[in-house]
């Protein structure tokens, strides 16, 4: 399932961050065709962290493989965050509370760690951000590491039953100034090689976002997790501060 002539439009920026809203003029396959298409695949020939290293940095320990963690993005979890992280690995999506998605992300160890864990497994990251009135479901396709296929993957997600009304966005670190439309169009093409070689914390998010009332939002997160097989198979992980691989 794909959409032609994808266009990236800058909708807002700030000194350390820019968000590009994605519009898709032109024809798209029918919702029925999208629904029947297979789920998006992850890149296999690329840099990824090990699950053990992701667990190690979640405990504040150094990773064995250079580049897994970053001093600029915290990954160490407190007890409450670890409980949510353990549950998230089983469910395939993480529930996040806070003042706002974008402001929450940069300084949220739970978000950073879960995204790294999804990257290690080669699956999309699903976040359920709990708001006061409505919740936001965020499907981050960047852990798939196939930027040329992100538009197709987003169209696939929006073509599933009950996923209408989503907004596609891409976020990127800026150099302090706003980008024009021409520069925005170069956004993904300039980062193709980076998706093969760089740690996930250095890569932009490419997301599909939905606003839903609480019960509908949780149902949508569960649906996406099942469709994309993002949950951890086998026995459920330990909860709370229990010892895990990489733990103290």
């Amino acid at each position: 399932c794909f959409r032609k002539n994808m266009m990236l439009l800058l909708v807002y920026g700030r000194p350390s961050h820019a968000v590009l809203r994605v519009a898709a003029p032109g024809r798209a396959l029918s919702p029925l065709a999208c629904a029947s298409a297979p789920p998006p695949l992850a890149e296999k020939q690329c840099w990824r962290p090990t699950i053990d290293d992701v667990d190690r940095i979640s405990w504040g320990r150094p990773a064995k493989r250079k580049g897994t963690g970053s001093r600029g993005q915290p990954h160490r979890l407190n007890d409450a965050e670890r409980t949510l992280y353990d549950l998230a690995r089983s469910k395939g999506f993480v529930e996040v509370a806070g003042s706002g998605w974008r402001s929450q992300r940069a300084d949220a160890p739970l978000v950073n760690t879960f995204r790294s864990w999804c990257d290690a497994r080669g699956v999309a990251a699903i976040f359920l951000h709990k708001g006061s009135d409505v919740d936001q479901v965020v499907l981050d396709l960047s852990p798939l590491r196939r930027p040329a296929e992100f538009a197709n993957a987003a169209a696939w997600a929006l073509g599933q039953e009950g996923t209408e009304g989503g907004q596609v966005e891409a976020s990127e670190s800026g150099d302090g100034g706003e980008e024009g439309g021409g520069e925005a169009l170069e956004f993904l093409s300039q980062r193709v090689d980076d998706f093969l070689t760089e740690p996930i914390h250095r890569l932009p998010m490419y997301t599909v976002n939905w606003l839903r009332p609480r019960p509908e939002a949780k149902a949508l997160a569960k649906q996406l997790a099942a469709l994309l097989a993002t949950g951890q198979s086998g026995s459920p992980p330990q909860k709370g501060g229990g010892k895990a691989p990489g733990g103290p």
Side-chain angles (χ1 to χ4, degrees), residues 124-238:
I126 303 170
F127 305 93
L128 174 58
H129 173 63
K130 296 181 177 180
S132 56
D133 298 321
V134 296
D135 292 351
Q136 183 179 24
V137 178
V138 179
L139 171 64
D140 178 20
L141 298 168
S142 64
L144 301 181
R145 291 181 175 264
R146 301 185 72 189
E149 297 297 323
F150 285 167
N152 297 353
W156 175 88
L158 291 169
Q160 304 305 305
E161 183 178 358
T163 62
E164 66 280 350
Q167 176 68 56
V168 182
E169 291 183 351
S171 66
E172 168 67 326
S173 297
D175 57 3
E178 292 189 357
E179 299 177 71
E183 293 178 355
L185 289 172
E186 300 294 325
F187 171 66
L188 287 179
S189 63
Q190 291 175 349
R191 303 301 303 271
V192 170
D193 290 342
D194 292 344
F195 274 91
L196 298 176
T197 60
E198 294 285 350
I200 195 71
H201 61 80
R202 296 178 187 168
L203 299 176
M205 286 185 170
Y206 189 100
T207 64
V208 188
N209 309 272
W210 295 266
L211 294 176
R212 296 280 195 278
R214 178 70 48 85
E216 295 178 21
K218 195 161 189 177
L220 176 57
K222 289 181 178 179
Q223 176 188 359
L224 293 170
L227 289 170
L228 294 166
T230 56
Q232 179 174 266
S233 60
S235 57
Q238 292 175 308

Side-chain angles (χ1 to χ4, degrees), residues 51-63:
I51 292 178
D52 178 66
D53 271 350
V54 174
D55 285 336
R56 289 175 67 87
I57 63 175
S58 79
W59 289 97
R61 302 184 66 188

Side-chain angles (χ1 to χ4, degrees), residues 70-136:
S70 168
R71 293 183 178 179
Q73 285 198 341
H75 290 82
R76 185 172 184 170
L77 305 177
N78 59 31
D79 287 345
E81 290 167 335
R82 186 163 301 281
T83 297
L84 293 173
Y85 174 57
D86 289 344
L87 291 171
R89 289 185 291 177
S90 177
K91 297 185 299 184
F93 65 92
V94 66
E95 298 186 35
V96 182
S99 58
W101 168 252
R102 294 192 181 96
S103 61
Q104 172 81 354
R105 186 191 60 205
D107 298 318
L110 178 59
V111 171
N112 298 335
T113 298
F114 185 72
R115 188 180 182 221
S116 293
W117 180 77
C118 292
D119 182 41
R121 298 178 63 240
V123 298
I126 303 170
F127 305 93
L128 174 58
H129 173 63
K130 296 181 177 180
S132 56
D133 298 321
V134 296
D135 292 351
Q136 183 179 24

